[in-house]
Amino acid sequence: PASSGVKFSTPPPGDLQYDTFFNGVKNSTGTIRWRTDGQTYDLSVTMPVPCIGPFSYRSTGRIDAFGIAPDRYVEQRGKRPEDIAIFNRDMRQIVFTRTPDSLPLPDGAQDRFSMLMQLAGLVRGDPDAYRPGVTRQFFVVDNNNGETWPIAVIGDENVQTSAGFIAARHFMRLPRRAGDTR
């Protein structure tokens, strides 16, 4: 049975641009495009990669009692074909185009990039639940599997941007297993 959900406030639509780095060298600007009407969402992330072509990621879905609820996650790296993860809520299953494997679909499951907006919405909905020292577990899917990500709240800080300083909450994905350095 489903649990009751979470306190969540959908982040407002907008575009974010960010610096990208390739092997430690500053690259071109990447873009995060977030659209929502409060019931559905469309998230796209693009980043240029020298000599390979752009990496693009798209997550579409809805907003439910657990926040962001992906229906479809698409990855395309350069000229390679798209890899897709489909979140089948009727069958409570995640299926992939890259592999014949499937996974059970738990409440609150995210893809690699919807996780960004999920954290933003959780903090907007219940900021006191995400204070420094708190670690939460999230089930996160990429293009061929899923795993639990431990996400720690580091603290609040002011981040300098081209628009000036912006107050931000700093999160860190902790190692998922022994030897994990990503």
Side-chain angles (χ1 to χ4, degrees):
S3 58
S4 61
V6 296
K7 292 182 180 178
F8 186 85
S9 176
T10 308
D15 294 339
L16 301 169
Q17 295 190 323
Y18 60 96
D19 293 333
T20 65
F21 292 83
F22 186 75
N23 291 334
V25 176
K26 187 175 177 184
N27 191 19
S28 300
T29 301
T31 302
I32 298 172
R33 183 176 181 260
W34 168 250
R35 298 293 180 261
T36 183
D37 60 9
Q39 308 238 331
T40 63
Y41 77 91
D42 187 327
L43 171 66
S44 61
V45 177
T46 57
M47 61 185 81
V49 178
C51 304
I52 296 173
F55 281 21
S56 62
Y57 308 88
R58 186 167 184 201
S59 177
T60 56
R62 59 193 100 160
I63 311 300
D64 71 9
F66 300 94
I68 304 297
D71 289 328
R72 183 178 171 95
Y73 171 68
V74 180
E75 275 190 16
Q76 186 166 22
R77 296 179 180 212
K79 294 181 172 129
R80 291 170 52 189
E82 291 180 340
D83 291 314
I84 302 169
I86 299 166
F87 295 71
N88 185 325
R89 295 188 186 286
D90 294 334
M91 297 181 67
R92 299 197 53 78
Q93 185 178 47
I94 304 167
V95 296
F96 306 95
T97 59
R98 185 173 175 187
T99 175
D101 297 339
S102 65
L103 300 169
L105 174 56
D107 292 330
Q110 300 299 311
D111 61 60
R112 292 176 59 201
F113 288 96
S114 68
M115 189 66 214
L116 300 170
M117 294 304 164
Q118 178 74 349
L119 283 173
L122 290 169
V123 170
R124 287 170 51 91
D126 192 2
D128 290 336
Y130 296 88
R131 292 284 179 209
V134 170
T135 299
R136 304 273 180 179
Q137 307 289 323
F138 297 90
F139 187 74
V140 180
V141 170
D142 64 11
N143 63 13
N144 67 352
N145 63 34
E147 63 186 349
T148 299
W149 284 9
I151 304 288
V153 182
I154 304 303
D156 292 339
E157 53 190 65
N158 290 315
V159 177
Q160 185 172 359
T161 71
S162 60
F165 283 94
I166 295 176
R169 185 141 309 162
H170 183 169
F171 292 90
M172 178 186 294
R173 183 179 68 190
L174 300 177
R176 296 157 293 174
R177 61 196 155 278
D180 181 10
T181 58
R182 288 180 55 197

